Amino acid sequence: MAPRKPREREMLFDSVIALVFILVACVDLCDGATVVDVYRLIQYDMSGVPFGSRLASLNHHAASLHFSPHADLSRTVLLIPLRELNMSFVKEYIAESKPLGGLIFLLPRMFSFENKDGMGSNHQDESKEPLKNVLDELEKILIHANLPYPVYFAFEDDNIDAVLTDIKKNDVTGQPATATTGGYKFVVSATEPKKVVSPPITNIQGWLAGLKTDDDAHQLPTIAIVASYDTFGAAPALSVGSDSNGSGIVALLEVARLFSLLYSNPKTRGQYNLLFGLTSGGPYNYNGTHKWLRSFDQRLRESIDYAICLDSIGSWENELWIHVSKPPENAFIKKIHEDFSSVAEELGFKVNLKHKKINISNPRVAWEHEQFSRLRVTAATLSELSTAPEFLEKTGGLVDGRHFVNEAAIVRSVKLIAESLARHIYGHQGKNIQIFADNSNLAVNPSYVRSWLDVLSQTPRVAPFFSKSDPFVMALKKELEDHTDDVNLHRDVLDGIVTFYDSTSTKLNIYQVASVTFDLLLLLVLGSYLIVLFSFLVITTRGLDDLISLFRRPPSRKVKTA
């Protein structure tokens, strides 16, 4: 019998190898995966009240909007394309707090800041407007809701579109994806979100000193040009705010560049100091502006002739608005409005004046200039918006992307601001003199505007998630240093009624899982194979009789009694 042992071992080894191949094949059939970038709905508390998505991890089967009316969705993730979104469904599930395993909203690529197609276009595609309106409405609902399950956003691509098509086919059959029926499983492995402790805010300040004459012993008056640079939106990792307030930042930088050319020559330097401020904490009652102004010494604050704040000036056509807190009859307000109105008329559009009193007892600050007004500094906000947005709305959300900003509008805004300031500084009020005329050395540079708008449109800027030395903040500082003097950073901590949580973006793993029927069939095939293999080995090594004897009932043994 000795010669048979090597042969038996060889056959057994071959059988094991075959079994391994079968198992690997089974894994390939059952575990095909796709990885997708997803962006989490914001999570925050306001005065201790929870809002946004309260969970981050996900491990449920997927379904589409074609699910059965009687389906239990408590352990199901709904994959919903924006193009097919039913707002009544969303409102119903959120308002009635119906159970869900999770939500993933699928956005068209045009809302992605990584999509550069059409970046240079100055015209909005009318076909985009309906989707923009739907997304705007969805975002307002989500940021003011308390959702006890994970909510994510993803962008359309070939892989996830193919998954969605398969999910729809399964849902149409009336068999939701479960452990029994199979389908797709969505998995996000994420730790529990943690509170962002003492989120930093950084204000950036630049200075252009005016020309002081020998007989002028007093401090020169100052004009402040200010813009808030951070954003807030349903998905912090996607809140780039191309218009709010990317357009304001771009305009401030270009105005700084233009006046740096004028002020570099003593012959054309005005007898006004120019103070440029890029402030943080804008969506949160302009908290950074408040802290920045409080850091001023009394002499600087008293030297400010007026401040002009820039907010959302990149999507308008025929008119802009100047918002003020002091009455229109005030001499300083009249002067500001006249300067801007006369230049606007020459450029072919209109600037309206809107007065809104400040309620000191109300902590809500609707416009940035109100922080100046509370300290009795004359100020105004230039904006395309005729009314102030609600708290945490229109501050750089999902719909505020590059495709919906008009470069030509920003260029016209810059020209309006620069010419109006120049006429005030050089005493040219009422005179049709263009200092920043087209095709001159002092003309507004559309390429500069476009390049910075592109950068801002690809940079999420939600203040609580900035580090103290964030590269973007350092880039703004360097740009101001190229055009102004005495540039410095004013760092502080964001305070107020809002508490934020981390975990803003991650990876979604999509697994195609087989049904129990498939598992049973696979088990049957493997079992049959093992039985046949075992029988073959016994027959070839010991003979057929030994195999048959294994299945015979052994004879009973009688116990002998005494």
Side-chain angles (χ1 to χ4, degrees):
M1 298 295 292
R4 287 192 176 184
K5 287 185 178 180
R7 175 63 178 166
E8 292 175 16
R9 291 173 184 170
E10 183 181 346
M11 295 179 65
L12 184 59
F13 178 76
D14 292 343
S15 302
V16 170
I17 294 296
L19 181 60
V20 169
F21 276 116
I22 291 176
L23 291 175
V24 170
C26 294
V27 171
D28 289 340
L29 286 171
C30 303
D31 201 22
T34 300
V35 180
V36 178
D37 291 320
V38 289
Y39 309 90
R40 184 168 170 258
L41 175 66
I42 195 166
Q43 178 180 351
Y44 68 100
D45 300 337
M46 189 182 299
S47 299
V49 180
F51 291 95
S53 174
R54 311 309 295 183
L55 294 175
S57 60
L58 194 64
N59 191 350
H60 295 306
H61 286 84
S64 68
L65 284 176
H66 300 281
F67 62 87
S68 171
H70 305 293
D72 178 12
L73 302 180
S74 60
R75 295 189 58 80
T76 300
V77 183
L78 287 182
L79 181 61
I80 306 176
L82 184 69
R83 302 179 192 276
E84 302 174 10
L85 184 61
N86 184 337
M87 289 306 303
S88 60
F89 163 80
V90 175
K91 292 177 181 177
E92 175 188 354
Y93 265 76
I94 291 176
E96 298 181 13
S97 300
K98 291 189 175 182
L100 274 175
L103 280 172
I104 298 179
F105 293 100
L106 203 53
L107 307 179
R109 293 296 303 177
M110 67 179 174
F111 291 106
S112 170
F113 57 78
E114 295 178 352
N115 180 24
K116 298 182 180 180
D117 294 339
M119 279 286 196
S121 174
N122 288 333
H123 301 286
Q124 296 182 15
D125 185 350
E126 292 183 2
S127 64
K128 299 174 183 176
E129 286 300 316
L131 287 175
K132 179 183 177 183
N133 295 336
V134 171
L135 185 55
D136 190 28
E137 186 179 359
L138 173 65
E139 186 168 27
K140 288 178 182 178
I141 293 172
L142 293 177
I143 63 174
H144 296 302
N146 177 9
L147 304 173
Y149 44 78
V151 180
Y152 285 96
F153 299 91
F155 291 103
E156 296 173 343
D157 63 23
D158 293 340
N159 291 331
I160 202 166
D161 287 347
V163 169
L164 178 62
T165 301
D166 285 348
I167 292 173
K168 286 180 179 178
K169 289 179 181 177
N170 294 338
D171 290 345
V172 168
T173 62
Q175 292 185 342
T178 63
T180 305
T181 61
Y184 285 90
K185 199 166 194 178
F186 286 0
V187 178
V188 172
S189 299
T191 58
E192 183 180 354
K194 298 177 182 178
K195 289 183 180 180
V196 179
V197 181
S198 301
I201 55 174
T202 304
N203 301 309
I204 312 168
Q205 172 184 307
W207 185 266
L208 283 177
L211 183 66
K212 212 169 186 179
T213 58
D214 295 336
D215 57 347
D216 190 358
H218 301 286
Q219 183 175 358
L220 291 177
T222 301
I223 296 176
I225 302 95
V226 187
S228 176
Y229 66 79
D230 51 5
T231 60
F232 177 91
L238 299 176
S239 299
V240 297
S242 297
D243 190 10
S244 176
N245 191 28
S247 59
I249 301 168
V250 172
L252 182 144
L253 294 176
E254 176 64 347
V255 170
R257 188 189 70 82
L258 293 173
F259 275 93
S260 70
L261 297 175
L262 277 175
Y263 274 51
S264 63
N265 186 345
K267 294 181 180 180
T268 56
R269 188 185 306 169
Q271 293 185 346
Y272 276 82
N273 299 319
L274 294 179
L275 174 63
F276 295 91
L278 290 166
T279 59
S280 184
Y284 324 109
N285 290 324
Y286 299 96
N287 190 249
T289 309
H290 169 76
K291 293 176 180 291
W292 179 53
L293 293 175
R294 293 286 180 181
S295 71
F296 289 0
D297 60 46
Q298 187 174 353
R299 287 186 62 197
L300 174 57
R301 199 180 301 161
E302 290 177 351
S303 75
I304 298 178
D305 200 12
Y306 71 85
I308 183 72
C309 304
L310 312 178
D311 186 353
S312 303
I313 52 175
S315 299
W316 59 279
E317 293 182 1
N318 300 315
E319 62 180 7
L320 284 169
W321 294 82
I322 292 180
H323 298 271
V324 295
S325 301
K326 292 183 177 181
E329 298 78 20
N330 180 281
F332 291 99
I333 299 301
K334 259 186 179 180
K335 195 78 167 51
I336 295 171
H337 186 220
E338 287 173 1
D339 288 344
F340 277 79
S341 292
S342 61
V343 174
E345 187 176 348
E346 293 167 15
L347 295 175
F349 55 90
K350 186 178 180 181
V351 172
N352 305 296
L353 185 68
K354 193 158 189 178
H355 171 231
K356 174 183 169 293
K357 286 185 179 180
I358 295 177
N359 183 358
I360 300 295
S361 61
N362 186 357
R364 170 79 172 109
V365 179
W367 297 107
E368 188 167 17
H369 75 266
E370 293 182 9
Q371 290 290 13
F372 287 85
S373 299
R374 287 170 185 250
L375 296 177
R376 301 186 183 280
V377 177
T378 301
T381 295
L382 181 69
S383 177
E384 69 206 10
L385 304 175
S386 59
T387 57
E390 295 297 323
F391 187 56
L392 299 181
E393 292 184 5
K394 292 188 180 299
T395 51
L398 292 170
V399 298
D400 192 357
R402 182 69 173 84
H403 294 281
F404 301 99
V405 178
N406 190 334
E407 289 174 20
I410 299 179
V411 169
R412 288 195 296 167
S413 299
V414 171
K415 194 165 186 180
L416 168 69
I417 298 161
E419 291 288 359
S420 301
L421 293 177
R423 292 187 186 187
H424 184 88
I425 292 170
Y426 298 105
H428 293 160
Q429 291 94 338
K431 301 176 183 178
N432 189 0
I433 299 176
Q434 288 195 21
I435 295 177
F436 304 98
D438 295 338
N439 302 318
S440 70
N441 293 334
L442 294 174
V444 178
N445 187 344
S447 297
Y448 182 86
V449 170
R450 182 181 305 112
S451 62
W452 264 103
L453 187 59
D454 288 347
V455 170
L456 292 162
S457 298
Q458 298 177 60
T459 310
R461 303 188 303 281
V462 179
F465 304 105
F466 273 150
S467 63
K468 287 185 178 180
S469 300
D470 189 90
F472 173 74
V473 175
M474 294 299 105
L476 286 181
K477 178 177 180 287
K478 184 181 183 305
E479 190 65 24
L480 266 188
E481 286 175 337
D482 290 343
H483 307 306
T484 64
D485 305 315
D486 300 328
V487 176
N488 59 73
L489 303 179
H490 174 260
R491 290 191 171 96
D492 214 306
V493 175
L494 179 68
D495 55 26
I497 60 175
V498 184
T499 302
F500 294 88
Y501 293 76
D502 60 11
S503 184
T504 60
S505 63
T506 185
K507 300 286 186 181
L508 168 69
N509 293 282
I510 302 176
Y511 298 97
Q512 186 173 10
V513 293
S515 66
V516 171
T517 305
F518 177 82
D519 293 338
L520 291 174
L521 181 60
L522 188 61
L523 181 62
L524 179 62
V525 171
L526 286 175
S528 301
Y529 170 78
L530 292 174
I531 291 172
V532 171
L533 178 63
F534 176 77
S535 301
F536 175 76
L537 290 175
V538 172
I539 293 172
T540 55
T541 57
R542 297 184 180 181
L544 180 61
D545 291 339
D546 283 357
L547 178 63
I548 296 174
S549 66
L550 292 175
F551 299 97
R552 285 178 179 169
R553 184 177 181 182
S556 60
R557 296 180 180 178
K558 294 182 179 180
V559 180
K560 295 182 178 181
T561 58

